[in-house]
Amino acid sequence: MESKFESSIREIPYSQEAVYRRLSDLALSEEVRNQLPEDKREDIIFENDTITMNVPPVGKISIAICEREEPKTIKYKTVTSPLPFNLWVQLLPTSDTSCKMRLTIKADLNPFVKGMISKPLNIGLEKLADAIAAGTYE
């Protein structure tokens, strides 16, 4: 059964194009890592089109960019994960110098697994959205 999780919408005080350019090249997204709590920074690695993170108690998860729709959408799919999922970053302009962003995760989850991971997944999605929104995109 497909399950969908969405972050709340975040305002980012940079143009849609600037945010897209930075987020679509994961090697440039190292700055997002610096927005994470110090004890979590070593748990995430950005490389070209792949993000690898350690997610206790699940273990290592790797996701890779599978589609780009400049300047509005970046789609990721799992490379390594006990639960395959897709992650989308959606960007919409609000002016020439700002945009809004929402993160969406879609996964095939049975009701038991969904019940176990919904709350931590929503919390993690909101923290990731916060880190992306706090980034510098110049």
Side-chain angles (χ1 to χ4, degrees), residues 2-99:
E2 185 171 89
S3 299
K4 183 177 175 180
F5 303 89
E6 292 182 323
S7 72
S8 54
I9 295 171
R10 300 295 196 286
E11 284 284 334
I12 302 177
Y14 294 92
S15 72
Q16 177 188 27
E17 292 79 10
V19 176
Y20 176 87
R21 189 171 38 256
R22 177 64 58 105
L23 294 179
S24 66
D25 183 349
L26 295 180
L28 297 174
S29 297
E30 184 71 18
E31 182 179 310
V32 171
R33 190 171 89 105
N34 294 330
Q35 301 296 324
L36 297 172
E38 187 123 359
D39 63 327
K40 302 293 183 198
R41 290 183 190 167
E42 292 182 20
D43 293 340
I44 188 165
I45 299 165
F46 293 94
E47 300 174 295
N48 296 333
D49 284 355
T50 306
I51 302 170
T52 302
M53 59 197 107
N54 188 29
V55 182
V58 177
K60 283 200 187 257
I61 293 177
S62 292
I63 59 174
I65 294 176
C66 61
E67 187 178 330
R68 292 175 174 92
E69 189 178 340
E70 189 174 351
K72 58 184 180 176
T73 309
I74 306 163
K75 295 182 181 181
Y76 303 83
K77 65 177 180 178
T78 53
V79 176
T80 307
S81 174
L83 294 170
F85 64 89
N86 294 314
L87 169 69
W88 296 345
V89 178
Q90 298 162 293
L91 301 166
L92 290 172
T94 53
S95 74
D96 289 344
T97 58
S98 67
C99 65

